[in-house]
Amino acid sequence: DAGVIQSPRHEVTEMGQEVTLRCKPISGHNSLFWYRQTMMRGLELLIYFNNNVPIDDSGMPEDRFSAKMPNASFSTLKIQPSEPRDSAVYFCASTSLGGKWTEAFFGQGTRLTVV
Amino acid sequence: AQSVTQPDIHITVSEGASLELRCNYSYGATPYLFWYVQSPGQGLQLLLKYFSGDTLVQGIKGFEAEFKRSQSSFNLRKPSVHWSDAAEYFCAVGPVSGGYNKLIFGAGTRLAVHP
């Protein structure tokens, strides 16, 4: 398996623009996480899906952020409108319940810069 | 509330020296514990995990960690550090609230290795 795939790897956008980050989890995994990493706040969990259903979105910072998982193989994180303080590395991770808890596998991240 | 504390933000060791990275957690039940490593510009890679059983767990790259319930700790160790071990290390605990497989990460410890 190719692992968790995120695109794009780097994104530079102007303030006010819409940004969409994409994630393809590992095939067969039924849980997906979006994390944000900054120097100031470290790794923050934004939202968590289980079987394509959002379970916990308490980490989503504002209404400008939204996430979807239309099927088991694809998820998006959208920021509209983007602001400079959204600049961070965004990670997607997936794992499998399958009756036994296991570790989360991370993608390589999307480095977002909002200017 | 569940939390993870990594008391050391930066650690510098000489190549060949031993290493111990500290991790303390606050958790209301038996936790699942993880150590991840992040190299610059990369995603997080699992080093090792503890679910149950033997409290001394072996991981990849020669790392090991010991779960000590009485001290609420899960410290990471390596007997002889290599220059390639320079990276950031994250301790994580899960599952969180409700049994869903949600991870809480510590702030990370950045390891520098002197030749």
Side-chain angles (χ1 to χ4, degrees):
Chain A
D1 197 312
V4 177
I5 299 173
Q6 291 186 246
S7 64
R9 288 294 310 276
H10 301 272
E11 176 79 37
V12 180
T13 190
E14 291 185 347
M15 183 174 62
Q17 295 299 306
E18 177 180 297
V19 175
T20 299
L21 311 182
R22 296 172 176 79
C23 175
K24 182 181 187 312
I26 291 174
S27 178
H29 282 188
N30 60 354
S31 297
L32 183 140
F33 311 83
W34 282 100
Y35 284 89
R36 177 172 68 176
Q37 185 179 37
T38 60
M39 289 292 293
M40 292 298 295
R41 301 175 68 89
L43 269 165
E44 303 173 275
L45 178 64
L46 300 178
I47 188 169
Y48 158 55
F49 291 87
N50 194 47
N51 293 325
N52 312 338
V53 176
I55 300 298
D56 183 352
D57 65 354
S58 60
M60 297 285 263
E62 306 173 25
D63 291 346
R64 299 184 296 106
F65 285 69
S66 63
K68 294 182 180 180
M69 193 164 186
N71 57 62
S73 60
F74 184 65
S75 177
T76 59
L77 178 68
K78 185 179 295 186
I79 308 172
Q80 166 63 17
S82 58
E83 296 182 3
R85 60 195 168 113
D86 302 330
S87 298
V89 181
Y90 291 82
F91 287 103
C92 176
S94 71
T95 188
S96 175
L97 273 174
K100 182 179 178 181
W101 219 89
T102 184
E103 72 267 21
F105 293 84
F106 282 77
Q108 293 206 308
T110 295
R111 181 173 295 277
L112 174 65
T113 303
V114 183
V115 298
Chain B
Q2 297 92 344
S3 65
V4 178
T5 302
Q6 292 180 246
D8 306 306
I9 298 174
H10 295 279
I11 283 184
T12 301
V13 300
S14 297
E15 190 168 18
S18 63
L19 172 70
E20 182 168 26
L21 302 182
R22 296 183 291 166
C23 173
N24 293 97
Y25 64 89
S26 172
Y27 196 80
T30 302
Y32 296 159
L33 295 158
F34 306 81
W35 275 99
Y36 283 85
V37 60
Q38 184 181 30
S39 298
Q42 301 297 312
L44 280 74
Q45 180 186 22
L46 182 73
L47 282 176
L48 48 79
K49 61 191 176 189
Y50 171 78
F51 286 172
S52 64
D54 192 344
T55 56
L56 183 64
V57 293
Q58 303 296 321
I60 62 171
K61 305 184 180 186
F63 286 91
E64 66 177 27
E66 186 171 11
F67 169 57
K68 293 186 177 179
R69 185 188 302 275
S70 61
Q71 299 177 18
S72 297
S73 69
F74 189 58
N75 295 347
L76 182 71
R77 300 194 293 251
K78 186 169 185 178
S80 178
V81 171
H82 188 262
W83 64 266
S84 60
D85 293 324
E88 188 152 22
Y89 293 80
F90 293 91
C91 182
V93 64
V96 176
S97 309
Y100 296 113
N101 45 341
K102 172 178 164 179
L103 286 177
I104 295 294
F105 283 86
T109 297
R110 186 171 296 278
L111 174 67
V113 180
H114 281 176

